[in-house]
Amino acid sequence: MSEIGYSKKVLDHFMNPRNVGALENPDGYGKVGNPVCGDLMEMFIKVKEEKIDEITFRTFGCTAAIATSSMTTEMAKGKTLDEAVKITRKDVADTLGGLPPQKMHCSNLAADALHLAIEDYRQRAEK
Amino acid sequence: MPLYKGIYDITIVKMNSMKRIYMDHAATTPLAPEVLEAMIPYFTDYYGNASSLHSFGREAKEALEDARIKIARLINAEPSEIFFTSGGTESDNLALKGIARRNRKKGNHIITSSIEHPAILEVCKVLAKQGFEVTYLPVTKEGLVELTTLESAIRKDTILISIMHANNEIGTIQPLNEIGGIAKERNINFHSDAVQTVGKIPVDVKSIGVDALSISGHKLYGPKGIGVLFVRKGVKIESIQQGGGHENGLRSGTENIPGIVGLGRAAELARNTMLDESKRLTALRDHLKDFVLNRIEESWLNGHPTKRLPNNLNFGFKYIEGESLLLYLDALGIAASTGSACSSKKLSASHVLTAIGLQPEYSHGSLRITLGQSNTLDDVDLAGQAIEQSVIRLRKMSALGPR
């Protein structure tokens, strides 16, 4: 098992993922990935006064995919939308204490799902 | 309130506080205590070089030849047909390169299957670069090589057929006797990678009619770093490693006497226990198979329902990914394996699962359980429960699962 270069923090978020599930009537929703590649993530957000009030995820994927999803929700919760949209894939990986190199691209998509959810919220708000 | 209530119903217990259950015997097996006991004197007391003429050397040589007899007995070979190597990978390299190169004047076509171990497939790639032509036979959805497909692939210039005895991932056992018959009839060398079968199910090189056969020590409760290539008397093969001319000139290098003694003892133990043990494991295997397939929806068994290794199960589960499942099971104390792309170094789906026609989104959720001597009915029950819990938990958080 050469890939078990996971940090304690990655394994903690994998074993005890935070903010799992779907939100009913979310204000914003984002989905990235492809089941053929082995990673598919969804982010659900509720927004209050331009801040992320509630955020949850659902992920199909490996350890890294689940851990980065969980970490992203924790990092984004309570932040303003302007702050949250600045969270990058690298920020997520760094906060988790790093990811194995081969997992940096395919499984580290959670920040993208968050950005899509924020974009979705903003588009809905414009209407 | 998010809808994830219920996901935490399952307590993931800390690993160090509980019993660990090893169910990855296709990867490696623990050394049998009897094997270790047999090996120890050859590290400390009988450390001679088997090539030396003095008494120290003679002791080593005696142990070497004794082990050769024990291994020959297990597969119904002659002791002079047993050549020690560093393991299954070297045996496969030696068989393919050694036979192909030595018989090149006769032809340059090699036939193998698409589900071989990398120790065969990667060697074939190298041989292809050196001008050999390689045909990779497809397999059925159960993982079987079809005899008609094999026969139609044979050409006038075919010099070697290499088909594994049982597959390491899905456990499917090939019709080796029939393949051997076809090869013999056409006068083509036949090699089989029997790393997963020797010591688990009967292997008789004479009745198969195989010309070369690879064995690995650590798959049958022997040590790592030791293996065997059986080469039938009269088969033309050249060495791939030159030096002092050990092993009748086929494999130079001072013999690993402790390893060889260990493998000899392991072969002897396997010969005595194989039939009872394979019956026991088959019962445990089928018990676990029934539990998992009955309890978990949208699950299935990869490989052949009956023509499979007594200790092998390979499950498929929709909506979840294998590496996650593996690590959840690990946290519950169950050690298993997966063919998921995400768990491989190359991030590509298992070539075996692809060859049996599994779509990528389904091959991600594969789980291989390989049972062994230490596993009991209790272990299998615990594993079944752990698999069920882990699959449910992962499906609840999966973006592919029902909301």
Side-chain angles (χ1 to χ4, degrees), chain B residues 58-354:
Chain B
R58 290 200 302 275
E59 285 162 1
K61 176 80 175 160
E62 213 168 282
L64 173 64
E65 298 312 324
D66 179 57
R68 214 186 292 281
I69 291 166
K70 286 173 175 157
I71 293 150
R73 230 176 250 157
L74 179 64
I75 59 169
N76 194 23
E78 300 303 321
S80 60
E81 296 172 324
I82 301 297
F83 298 87
F84 290 106
T85 67
S86 63
T89 295
E90 191 194 326
S91 294
D92 285 346
N93 268 264
L94 176 57
L96 264 57
K97 290 174 182 166
I99 292 175
R101 289 173 186 166
R102 179 70 176 75
N103 292 277
R104 194 155 201 182
K105 279 183 193 155
K106 275 178 68 186
N108 74 335
H109 181 231
I110 299 166
I111 298 174
T112 187
S113 85
S114 51
I115 60 166
E116 296 296 312
H117 190 275
I120 295 290
L121 295 176
E122 293 300 316
V123 176
C124 285
K125 273 193 208 166
V126 169
L127 290 171
K129 274 186 195 156
Q130 294 168 352
F132 289 94
E133 281 183 64
V134 184
T135 299
Y136 300 91
L137 300 177
V139 293
T140 65
K141 65 182 198 311
E142 288 91 17
L144 282 173
V145 170
E146 286 183 302
L147 299 176
T148 48
T149 315
L150 168 65
E151 278 180 317
S152 59
I154 293 174
R155 312 191 318 207
K156 274 186 182 160
D157 61 344
T158 305
I159 50 168
L160 175 62
I161 297 169
S162 180
I163 306 285
M164 70 198 327
H165 193 182
N167 183 266
N168 50 307
E169 290 186 37
I170 56 173
T172 303
I173 301 171
Q174 301 298 340
L176 228 55
N177 285 20
E178 288 79 358
I179 295 171
I182 291 169
K184 208 169 199 175
E185 202 177 285
R186 315 286 184 101
N187 201 20
I188 300 165
N189 289 295
F190 173 38
H191 165 257
S192 184
D193 176 340
V195 161
Q196 292 293 342
T197 53
V198 171
K200 290 198 189 85
I201 58 173
V203 175
D204 182 328
V205 293
K206 288 201 173 86
S207 73
I208 299 167
V210 74
D211 296 303
L213 185 126
S214 303
I215 303 173
S216 162
H218 72 102
K219 308 286 193 193
L220 60 143
Y221 305 92
K224 294 169 180 67
I226 192 74
V228 156
L229 182 65
F230 155 81
V231 182
R232 194 175 53 76
K233 201 182 167 197
V235 167
K236 288 182 175 140
I237 182 168
E238 67 180 43
S239 64
I240 57 171
Q241 170 172 313
Q242 293 77 38
H246 307 76
E247 296 297 286
N248 215 8
L250 187 59
R251 202 273 189 180
S252 288
T254 297
E255 296 87 350
N256 170 7
I257 299 295
I260 288 168
V261 167
L263 179 50
R265 185 76 179 106
E268 193 174 44
L269 292 170
R271 193 163 168 258
N272 294 336
T273 59
M274 184 165 54
L275 287 181
D276 288 343
E277 180 64 1
S278 72
K279 272 182 208 154
R280 192 185 74 90
L281 291 177
T282 302
L284 292 183
R285 179 196 75 185
D286 292 343
H287 179 79
L288 181 56
K289 179 190 79 180
D290 292 343
F291 180 90
V292 168
L293 297 183
N294 289 335
R295 296 287 290 248
I296 304 176
E297 284 173 24
E298 301 195 82
S299 64
W300 64 92
L301 188 69
N302 292 313
H304 198 281
T306 52
K307 290 173 189 166
R308 74 186 300 138
L309 288 170
N311 72 333
N312 172 292
L313 286 168
N314 190 309
F315 294 112
F317 301 107
K318 275 192 191 177
Y319 314 127
I320 62 166
E321 192 281 318
E323 190 209 62
S324 299
L325 177 57
L326 189 118
L327 288 185
Y328 266 26
L329 288 175
D330 185 45
L332 290 165
I334 312 289
S337 171
T338 172
S340 160
C342 306
S343 72
S344 73
K345 284 180 203 168
K346 294 171 188 167
L347 295 182
S348 56
S350 145
H351 69 284
V352 178
L353 298 180
T354 305

Side-chain angles (χ1 to χ4, degrees), chain A residues 1-4 6 11 14-24 29 35-42 44 54 56-64 66 102-103 106, chain B residues 1-5 7-8 12 319-321 323-328 331 336 338 341-345 347 360-361 364-365 393-403:
Chain A
M1 293 288 298
S2 62
E3 73 281 5
I4 303 298
Y6 289 131
L11 290 175
F14 168 66
M15 296 308 304
N16 309 293
R18 284 61 147 176
N19 310 308
V20 184
L23 283 178
E24 266 182 303
Y29 169 73
V36 174
C37 306
D39 289 295
L40 188 70
M41 297 174 192
E42 293 178 307
F44 305 79
E54 274 184 57
T56 64
F57 78 91
R58 299 200 329 151
T59 290
F60 159 78
C62 68
T63 306
I66 290 169
Q102 75 270 29
K103 298 284 186 183
C106 64
Chain B
M1 183 66 190
L3 300 175
Y4 57 82
K5 230 182 124 185
I7 285 183
Y8 300 106
I12 300 285
Y319 314 127
I320 62 166
E321 192 281 318
E323 190 209 62
S324 299
L325 177 57
L326 189 118
L327 288 185
Y328 266 26
T338 172
C342 306
S343 72
S344 73
K345 284 180 203 168
L347 295 182
E361 57 263 53
H364 287 301
R393 197 164 190 259
L394 285 164
R395 278 184 179 169
K396 277 185 180 166
M397 69 171 90
S398 170
L400 294 173
R403 285 233 187 129

